[in-house]
């Protein structure tokens, strides 16, 4: 018995990569660090503006790395454990994280800021150009 997926319709061509991306996202269940995604409203010729805010208390700017590869935004954090301290109680552990977001075509990162333990990453999607292309029909006899 074969598995039916939303993209198995013969009318949806070239969506294999999207299906694999959705499967990868479903497997990513770690909830750290917590984050918000908010819509800021479009302006300046932008169709959409978004802000991703991650709670990264205890991380310095040098502990964080933001990168984009193809359409995937990756935020990594790595704290160095200071070994010269003697703890009577340790409830805050130095930990690492990696949080990934898949961006739609045309989305771009416009900036990032770290303030009060919150990392804000701003994104926008400019209004796409409307292209209409005429397809010639060849007739063979």
């Amino acid at each position: 018995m074969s598995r039916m997926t939303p993209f198995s319709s013969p009318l949806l061509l070239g969506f294999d990569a999207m299906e694999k991306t959705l499967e990868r996202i479903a497997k990513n269940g770690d909830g750290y660090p917590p984050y918000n995604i908010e819509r800021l409203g479009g302006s300046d010729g932008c169709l959409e503006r978004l802000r991703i805010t991650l709670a990264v208390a205890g991380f310095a700017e040098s502990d964080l790395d933001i990168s984009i590869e193809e359409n995937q935004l990756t935020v990594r954090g790595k704290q160095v454990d200071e070994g010269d301290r003697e703890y009577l109680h340790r409830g805050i552990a130095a930990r690492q994280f990696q949080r990934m977001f898949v961006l739609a075509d045309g989305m771009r990162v416009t900036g990032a800021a770290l303030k009060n333990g919150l990392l804000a990453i701003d994104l926008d999607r400019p209004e796409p150009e409307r292209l209409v292309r005429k397809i010639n029909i060849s007739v063979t006899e």
Side-chain angles (χ1 to χ4, degrees):
M1 182 174 183
S2 66
R3 181 178 70 125
M4 292 296 293
T5 66
F7 299 100
S8 62
S9 169
L11 301 176
L12 297 173
L13 303 174
F15 287 91
D16 300 341
M18 184 179 292
E19 185 174 14
K20 289 176 185 172
T21 299
L22 289 173
E23 288 174 1
R24 187 175 66 235
I25 290 170
K27 292 178 184 176
N28 186 12
D30 185 19
Y32 182 79
Y35 65 93
N36 292 335
I37 301 175
E38 58 185 304
R39 187 181 315 276
L40 301 176
S43 64
D44 301 329
C46 288
L47 183 66
E48 186 172 34
R49 288 181 45 229
L50 302 174
R51 176 172 290 148
I52 302 170
T53 305
L54 292 98
V56 292
F59 286 85
E61 179 186 359
S62 60
D63 298 332
L64 299 168
D65 178 64
I66 303 170
S67 61
I68 297 177
E69 186 174 338
E70 295 181 13
N71 65 335
Q72 186 166 295
L73 171 68
T74 304
V75 182
R76 290 182 183 89
K78 183 174 183 177
Q79 292 177 316
V80 178
D81 195 8
E82 298 175 12
D84 60 345
R85 293 185 174 182
E86 180 182 342
Y87 293 96
L88 299 178
H89 169 77
R90 185 161 186 190
I92 303 171
R95 64 190 292 189
Q96 304 180 60
F97 72 86
Q98 178 173 303
R99 174 69 69 183
M100 292 183 283
F101 301 91
V102 178
L103 305 179
D105 288 339
M107 292 295 294
R108 62 183 182 185
V109 175
T110 59
L114 180 63
K115 183 178 179 182
N116 298 330
L118 297 174
L119 175 63
I121 304 169
D122 291 333
L123 303 106
D124 72 1
R125 180 179 5 205
E127 188 75 41
E129 292 182 29
R130 304 288 180 196
L131 298 175
V132 178
R133 198 175 85 195
K134 177 85 171 139
I135 308 298
N136 293 324
I137 302 171
S138 61
V139 178
T140 57
E141 292 183 32

